[in-house]
């Protein structure tokens, strides 16, 4: 009995330092793991902040184009002596300014974006009169989606700048939104002459900005493409369906 107790004591005396050493190693490993996780969290926070800043910069780059094009359209009305139309255009422009200077989240409701873009379209309709035909086709199960602000307006602006401005005679603009499973697809088509580069998917600065903002916001697949089909230029954007405005 005494020998058994003595053996146990010897084993404990020898094992205690080893156990303590193992515990210290584990504590050191855990400390390193905690430090690593803290560094990773800080890195993710910094990347998120950089993305937020970049996103805001991209949004600000888009807006001045709309200001310039709207003012240019109103100057054209003034030169033609269309005072009544100019007054109407100024009213639409003031509604745009009211929207522009309200604070926005990273995503806005499609209905809000469509209402905002309608002010720009109204100015163009006043300018071109009956020569401009606009068709809007929105699927009900896609209507509740959210999207980056100024995205639709940028697509429509691009259609006028690179297509309809150069199109003699009747001008057609079509806006469509549809649902495809967990994604929504927005397209803007015009019958302008377009560009030879359109068939190769070459994007201008405004469209590149839209594409980059989609990449910054959504972890899931999103895409922007431009194609030339049957005499029309079609801009298509696909992004995850987000009815609650959260990604």
């Amino acid at each position: 009995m005494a020998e058994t107790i003595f053996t146990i004591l010897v084993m404990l005396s020898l094992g205690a330092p080893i156990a303590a050493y193992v515990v210290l190693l584990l504590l050191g490993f855990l400390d390193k793991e905690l430090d690593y996780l803290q560094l990773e969290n800080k890195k993710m926070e910094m990347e998120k902040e950089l993305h937020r800043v970049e996103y805001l910069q991209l949004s600000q780059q888009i807006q001045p184009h709309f200001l310039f094009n709207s003012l240019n359209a109103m100057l054209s009305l003034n030169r033609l002596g269309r005072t009544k139309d100019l007054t109407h255009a100024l009213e639409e422009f003031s509604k745009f300014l009211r929207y522009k200077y309200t604070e926005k989240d990273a995503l806005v409701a499609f209905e809000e974006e469509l209402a905002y873009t309608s002010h720009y379209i109204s100015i163009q309709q006043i300018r071109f009169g009956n020569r401009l035909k606009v068709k809007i086709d929105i699927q009900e199960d896609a209507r509740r989606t959210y999207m980056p602000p100024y995205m639709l307006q940028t697509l429509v602006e691009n259609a006028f700048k690179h297509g309809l401005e150069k199109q003699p005679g009747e001008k057609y603009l079509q806006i469509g939104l549809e649902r495809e499973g967990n994604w929504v697809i927005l397209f803007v088509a015009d019958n302008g002459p377009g560009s030879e580069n359109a068939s190769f998917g070459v994007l201008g600065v405004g469209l590149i900005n839209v594409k980059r903002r989609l990449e910054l916001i959504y972890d899931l697949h999103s895409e922007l493409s431009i194609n030339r089909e049957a005499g029309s230029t079609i801009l298509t954007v696909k992004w995850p369906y987000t009815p609650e405005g959260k990604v």
Side-chain angles (χ1 to χ4, degrees):
M1 183 67 178
E3 290 180 358
T4 302
I5 295 174
F6 177 76
T7 302
I8 294 173
L9 291 174
V10 170
M11 291 179 64
L12 288 174
S13 63
L14 292 175
I18 297 174
Y21 179 73
V22 172
V23 171
L24 289 174
L25 286 177
L26 289 173
L27 289 174
F29 175 78
L30 289 173
D31 286 340
K32 289 181 180 179
E33 282 295 303
L34 289 173
D35 290 341
Y36 176 78
L37 290 173
Q38 289 175 351
L39 288 172
E40 282 297 304
N41 288 334
K42 288 181 180 179
K43 182 180 178 181
M44 291 175 64
E45 290 176 2
M46 289 177 65
E47 289 178 349
K48 185 176 181 180
E49 181 63 19
L50 288 173
H51 285 173
R52 188 186 70 82
V53 172
E54 182 181 358
Y55 177 86
L56 290 174
Q57 289 176 339
L58 291 172
S59 297
Q60 292 301 319
Q61 287 176 17
I62 291 173
Q63 295 176 40
H65 296 294
F66 179 52
L67 290 169
F68 174 79
N69 287 344
S70 298
L71 290 171
N72 191 49
M74 287 185 283
L75 284 172
S76 297
L77 293 174
N78 183 59
R79 293 191 188 100
L80 295 171
R82 295 166 58 179
T83 307
K84 185 177 180 180
D85 289 338
L86 176 59
T87 301
H88 186 190
L90 286 169
E91 290 174 350
E92 293 293 332
F93 188 67
S94 68
K95 293 175 183 177
F96 154 74
L97 291 178
R98 190 179 308 145
Y99 177 87
K100 178 180 182 295
Y101 290 107
T102 56
E103 187 176 348
K104 298 172 191 65
D105 296 324
L107 297 175
V108 298
F110 172 78
E111 293 281 9
E112 185 177 357
E113 177 75 4
L114 181 61
Y116 162 69
T117 305
S118 69
H119 302 317
Y120 176 80
I121 295 175
S122 293
I123 294 172
Q124 298 293 0
Q125 285 182 313
I126 293 168
R127 181 183 177 191
F128 294 113
N130 293 330
R131 287 185 295 156
L132 176 61
K133 309 295 182 184
V134 180
K135 180 181 179 182
I136 300 176
D137 185 15
I138 310 300
Q139 285 187 359
E140 285 302 317
D141 60 347
R143 187 181 292 272
R144 291 179 59 245
T145 193
Y146 278 61
M147 64 194 299
Y150 309 112
M151 188 169 77
L152 174 59
Q153 179 266 318
T154 303
L155 302 186
V156 172
E157 179 186 344
N158 187 85
F160 277 98
K161 182 178 180 181
H162 298 290
L164 297 177
E165 294 278 355
K166 305 172 185 177
Q167 173 66 19
E170 291 192 327
K171 308 170 189 290
Y172 295 97
L173 176 72
Q174 184 176 3
I175 298 172
L177 182 74
E178 58 188 37
R179 179 94 173 269
E180 188 178 89
N182 293 325
W183 276 261
V184 285
I185 300 174
L186 170 69
F187 71 88
V188 175
D190 69 84
N191 71 325
S195 168
E196 293 180 359
N197 291 331
S199 60
F200 297 98
V202 177
L203 305 179
V205 174
L207 299 182
I208 290 174
N209 285 352
V210 169
K211 189 173 186 299
R212 178 58 179 155
R213 287 196 295 154
L214 288 169
E215 292 170 352
L216 289 171
I217 292 175
Y218 297 103
D219 293 328
L220 298 175
H221 174 72
S222 65
E223 63 182 61
L224 185 152
S225 62
I226 177 171
N227 296 287
R228 186 78 179 163
E229 297 178 9
S232 296
T233 301
I234 305 172
L235 283 165
T236 306
V237 185
K238 184 177 182 179
W239 72 95
Y241 177 61
T242 48
E244 303 300 328
K246 298 178 182 179
V247 294

